[in-house]
Amino acid sequence: EDPAGRARFDELITADQRVEPTDWMPDAYRKTLVRQVSQHAHSEIIGMQPEGNWITRAPSLKRKAILMAKVQDEAGHGLYLYSAAQTLGVTRDRMTEDLISGKAKYSSIFNYPTPTWADMGSIGWLVDGAAICNQVPLCRASYGPYARAMVRICKEESFHQRQGFEILLHLSRGTKEQHEMAQESVNRWYAPALMMFGPPDADSPNSAQSMAWNIKRFSNDDLRQRFVDMIVPQAEVLGLTLPDPDLKWNEERGHYDYGELDWNEFSEVLKGRGPANAIRLERRRQAHEGGAWVREAAAAYAERRRAMAEK
Ligand code: ACO
């Protein structure tokens, strides 16, 4: 413990200023950030798979180009976030090992399959919409590199959300079959999207400390409520219904009430037993192994440049 460092850290947090990589910080603060930022990075990288599944089958050249760009954005988000985590002292190799060994968590949402084209719409509208609600406040997180990475990520997520909305709008106003496909997809993604915000506040062990450190700015339930309030009028514009019979405006609270979520399902997904956990990790492992030659070549090239510079 460094008393001067501790005092400076406390001062920064109290003044709501940024902590930078060279500042002293408590071990627990560093640990919680490594946990959250690496999980966030893994989510972006695993999140490429459910949509990557549709690149070769997108219904038009334009849709294909948009989808490719979006999936590439997600790769970029993963890379900024791994870089932000590295400033905390964890290596990229270590994070990758933890992901492919199944030790590290990533967002529950990416363990659901994408059987229809409408799922590209639901992912954009609901999943990226939830991501924005959760991530806009993270642009003000106390750790500088994380907060700065979030600014660009949020701008790109806004575009992703709109493109998803537009896919659903197009389907909803299309043929009867297309409308049904859109509705069926929203029926499957609605509850898992609400679970993205994490367990209810009473069961969220990390929230209180993360809020005290200005990493999280709002609780899981507050953000979930904000998201529900946002999507209800959007669903009306889409001409689609949200699959929750308990969803209704509560005049007194000034918010929409919504039904209980299946937290048992959430816990199963977190334990690796969701519908697509095994395939997501297997694909990631294969991609990592398949990329070994690139890493070896890059290391050999760096070594040769170093040797030449020494001559
Ligand atoms: N999926 C998987 N794990 C989750 C989820 C989820 N949706 N929600 C919570 N958890 C995990 C937490 O990581 C934590 O586990 P851990 O202690 O082993 O790390 C546990 O459940 C308990 O949850 P909380 O105490 O509420 O955890 P935390 O304070 O970290 O809050 C949250 C969870 C809201 C997801 C937070 O970590 C966060 O804001 N992360 C950054 C955003 C992010 O990762 N988004 C990824 C999906 S969006 C996208 O990539 C498009």
Side-chain angles (χ1 to χ4, degrees):
E1 175 94 22
D2 165 357
R6 157 75 68 177
R8 168 94 186 118
F9 175 83
D10 290 345
E11 236 175 70
L12 286 174
I13 298 295
T14 308
D16 203 355
Q17 288 183 351
R18 295 277 157 81
V19 178
E20 295 299 337
T22 48
D23 292 331
W24 183 91
M25 61 188 90
D27 284 345
Y29 176 82
R30 189 184 297 276
K31 212 168 142 203
T32 214
L33 275 165
V34 167
R35 178 183 66 77
Q36 178 165 328
V37 180
S38 63
Q39 284 176 7
H40 195 165
H42 297 328
S43 306
E44 298 283 355
I45 296 301
I46 296 284
M48 295 165 74
Q49 293 186 35
E51 290 172 291
N53 181 32
W54 277 93
I55 289 176
T56 55
R57 294 177 291 159
S60 71
L61 181 60
K62 185 178 136 205
R63 296 284 183 200
K64 182 174 172 136
I66 295 170
L67 190 59
M68 271 172 35
K70 177 179 190 283
V71 173
Q72 282 178 2
D73 284 351
E74 279 150 15
H77 298 174
L79 297 184
Y80 319 144
L81 288 165
Y82 281 131
S83 299
Q86 282 172 282
T87 66
L88 292 155
V90 62
T91 65
R92 179 83 178 271
D93 284 346
R94 179 61 204 266
M95 289 185 275
T96 305
E97 240 166 65
D98 286 351
L99 176 63
I100 61 180
S101 70
K103 188 174 157 210
K105 288 196 173 80
Y106 57 86
S107 183
S108 50
I109 195 73
F110 300 118
N111 293 304
Y112 291 85
T114 47
T116 73
W117 168 252
D119 293 337
M120 300 306 97
S122 295
I123 289 185
W125 178 46
L126 294 172
V127 175
D128 297 326
I132 295 169
C133 279
N134 164 269
Q135 292 175 17
V136 165
L138 291 174
C139 297
R140 293 188 291 120
S142 56
Y143 188 58
Y146 188 35
R148 288 188 288 272
M150 291 319 301
V151 173
R152 175 154 173 197
I153 292 178
C154 285
K155 285 189 180 151
E156 293 176 350
E157 293 292 359
S158 303
F159 154 70
H160 296 173
Q161 200 236 2
R162 279 162 203 219
Q163 70 84 40
F165 184 88
E166 199 267 340
I167 289 175
L168 288 178
L169 189 65
H170 206 74
L171 290 175
S172 179
R173 293 180 177 173
T175 63
K176 184 169 166 288
E177 285 78 7
Q178 287 171 326
H179 180 89
E180 280 167 5
M181 189 203 279
Q183 183 61 61
E184 186 276 335
S185 172
V186 166
N187 291 351
R188 278 184 288 112
W189 288 93
Y190 170 78
L194 260 60
M195 291 183 204
M196 284 174 70
F197 294 94
D201 293 349
D203 304 319
S204 164
N206 301 302
S207 278
Q209 182 60 75
S210 289
M211 288 175 75
W213 277 328
N214 298 339
I215 297 171
K216 284 170 94 159
R217 299 285 179 163
F218 299 97
S219 78
N220 298 357
D221 285 329
D222 284 352
L223 289 173
R224 193 171 3 255
Q225 180 71 62
R226 189 179 280 200
F227 177 64
V228 171
D229 291 346
M230 181 183 91
I231 60 172
V232 171
Q234 293 181 354
E236 278 166 22
V237 175
L238 284 172
L240 298 172
T241 54
L242 295 172
D244 179 356
D246 297 325
L247 197 59
K248 62 171 184 304
W249 179 249
N250 183 325
E251 192 63 51
E252 222 169 90
R253 294 201 308 122
H255 291 290
Y256 284 93
D257 289 337
Y258 56 94
E260 190 57 39
L261 294 162
D262 183 354
W263 293 109
N264 188 43
E265 174 181 316
F266 179 73
S267 138
E268 283 296 295
V269 172
L270 258 61
K271 286 181 189 136
R273 296 194 286 263
N277 291 63
I279 188 162
R280 297 286 183 253
L281 270 196
E282 183 50 31
R283 286 264 161 77
R284 186 68 201 88
R285 229 173 261 139
Q286 279 167 5
H288 186 66
E289 282 161 18
W293 69 272
V294 180
R295 292 188 296 279
E296 282 158 20
Y301 180 68
E303 174 57 29
R304 188 172 319 157
R305 300 235 332 175
R306 196 191 54 76
M308 277 169 68
E310 269 175 14
K311 267 191 204 155

